[in-house]
Structure formats: C-alpha cells, structure tokens
Amino acid sequence: MKLLIDDANIEKIKTIYQYYPIDGVTTNPSILAKSGRNPYEVLKEIRAYIGEDAELHAQVISRTAEGMIEEAHKMAEILGKNTYIKVPTIPEGLKAMKALSKEGFKITATAIYTPMQAYLAAKAGADYAAPYVNRIDNLGANGIDSTKMIQDIFDNNGFKTQILAASFKNSNQVQELCAYGVGAATVAPDVIENLIKNACVTSAVEDFITDFEKLCGEGKTMLDCQ
Ligand code: G3P
C-alpha cells in the first residue's frame, strides 16, 4: 500500500517526509483553503519539495465537465507529469474522466461515498478511486467495509483502477485497509505519526540504551567500543 500525506502545509510535509517512507501528497480545496494562499503557489512549493517523480494530487473546482477538463490541462502543465487530477465522482465528473483518460491524464476519482461511484469511476478510466473512510463511518455506514467492497469490485471485474483511501481518523482504519492490500492511503500528518507512536516501544528502546550505558558508560554507543 502506498502512503501519501493528506495536507498542504509545507512544514508538516517536510517533517513527515524526513521520517517516514512517503509516496506523495494529496490536497483538496478545503485543505488548500486553510493556507490562505494562492493555490498554485502552495502546490508548486509542494511539488518542488517532493520532486517530479512523487505523486501530487490536486482537485478541479468547476461544476461542468468542460470546465474540469480545462482546469486539468492548466494544472498538469503547471504542476508536472506526475500530477493526479482529482475529479469529483458526480455525473459531470464522470464525463470529464472519460475525456481526460482518453487524453492520457492521471485521474483520481474523489468524493466517493459508495461502491457504485467507484465502479463508475473505474469504468470511466480513473487511475485511483478515493473512498472517504471516516466520512462514510459518520453517515452510519462502514467505511472499511465499503472500501473492501470497492477492492472486490475492482478485482472481480478486472479493473486496473486502484483505491486511494482517504479521510482517516485513526490508525486502525489505516491498518485494516493495509492488511486488505488496497493500493494507497492518504493520511493526515497526525494520524501518520500515530501509526507508530507507542509508549511500550519507546520504553523498550530506552531500556536497551540504559543497559548498554551500564555496560560501556553514559552516552556511549557502538562507535565508542572496540
Ligand atoms: O480529500 C479527501 C479527504 O482528505 C477528506 O478527509 O478528513 O476531510 O474527511 P476529511
């Protein structure tokens, strides 16, 4: 499963990139709005940091397919070849996906709340389909089960489309989908950090250091003993 950062804050992105094995960055209009800055300025800054080979996902805003297609052209030109155009999975979005996939654009079908949206997006040529796990949970449905069903639909129908699961609020949601083998998950920085935060692990590592220092002296490491 690929792991992407769902945030546009460059400082947070840099911190996470420094420590964790990350495949790219996803944004949406609400995430970009938090910056209060020109969206292209923010996206170009992210692209410059993550490099041209990493995935960058950015969303179109238009309500019509024609507008979405026009936006996609501008976005791909400015943000580079490995930019995934996020297109909302509504009827106009499906129309845009069909056209954009024929033109060779990389497409992430977004705002997916139901398996049938994902099925239609896959048929329309999307590279990724992004179910909103936690938002589905908040509707009283089950985001994990819906996402697993989407994976089964893709597998059983021979679609090449991959899942880019989004909207996570806790480690367990990420873990469940990782175990199921979905293609990718995009996760907010705080949830990524919580994937590994564990007092037992911290304590075990501290015990190892303490025992070593008892053996070789305070502040000593394997560099100092020979
Ligand atoms: O772009 C989709 C995803 O980022 C939504 O996440 O946390 O707003 O439900 P959230």
Side-chain angles (χ1 to χ4, degrees):
M1 184 179 81
K2 287 185 184 172
L3 182 62
L4 291 90
I5 303 172
D6 198 23
D7 206 309
N9 180 301
I10 193 68
E11 294 312 320
K12 286 186 186 171
I13 290 169
K14 284 180 180 175
T15 302
I16 297 294
Y17 250 81
Q18 199 181 336
Y19 291 102
Y20 301 98
I22 297 295
D23 298 291
V25 173
T26 62
T27 63
N28 64 34
S30 306
I31 286 173
L32 288 172
K34 282 187 202 153
S35 74
R37 297 164 58 202
N38 179 301
Y40 281 112
E41 191 185 313
V42 175
L43 290 164
K44 283 197 286 185
E45 186 177 60
I46 296 170
R47 169 59 80 205
Y49 178 71
I50 65 177
E52 62 179 20
D53 291 334
E55 292 185 14
L56 177 61
H57 298 241
Q59 192 165 328
V60 296
I61 309 299
S62 300
R63 289 192 170 85
T64 64
E66 292 70 25
M68 293 174 188
I69 292 164
E70 222 175 318
E71 283 184 79
H73 279 265
K74 177 169 180 174
M75 290 161 70
E77 191 184 315
I78 293 177
L79 300 171
K81 64 174 174 52
N82 214 7
T83 300
Y84 285 74
I85 307 297
K86 290 178 74 176
V87 180
T89 312
I90 56 177
E92 289 291 330
L94 291 171
K95 185 179 174 188
M97 286 179 217
K98 287 200 295 173
L100 288 171
S101 65
K102 278 196 190 118
E103 287 189 60
F105 281 84
K106 292 179 171 173
I107 301 163
T108 298
T110 195
I112 290 184
Y113 286 74
T114 69
M116 281 298 98
Q117 278 180 286
Y119 159 74
L120 291 170
K123 273 186 79 65
D127 298 280
Y128 279 122
Y132 287 4
V133 176
N134 200 67
R135 292 194 195 190
I136 296 170
D137 281 352
N138 284 339
L139 292 174
N142 188 315
I144 297 296
D145 286 350
S146 298
T147 305
K148 287 178 175 175
M149 187 185 285
I150 292 169
Q151 186 67 59
D152 294 344
I153 287 169
F154 289 175
D155 290 344
N156 293 332
N157 289 276
F159 289 126
K160 283 188 292 183
T161 309
Q162 298 221 304
I163 287 175
L164 169 60
S167 180
F168 290 100
K169 287 294 166 282
N170 62 61
S171 298
N172 193 52
Q173 292 168 329
V174 181
Q175 179 175 281
E176 286 252 2
L177 293 180
C178 188
Y180 206 69
V182 305
T186 184
V187 184
D190 59 325
V191 180
I192 291 178
E193 286 173 329
N194 279 331
L195 295 177
I196 196 170
K197 206 180 276 178
N198 184 322
C200 294
V201 177
T202 309
S203 166
V205 173
E206 281 306 315
D207 287 347
F208 289 137
I209 294 171
T210 304
D211 288 341
F212 189 86
E213 288 184 331
K214 277 185 207 155
L215 179 68
C216 295
E218 202 180 323
K220 303 293 185 198
T221 70
M222 291 298 280
L223 285 177
D224 305 301
C225 313
Q226 53 184 336

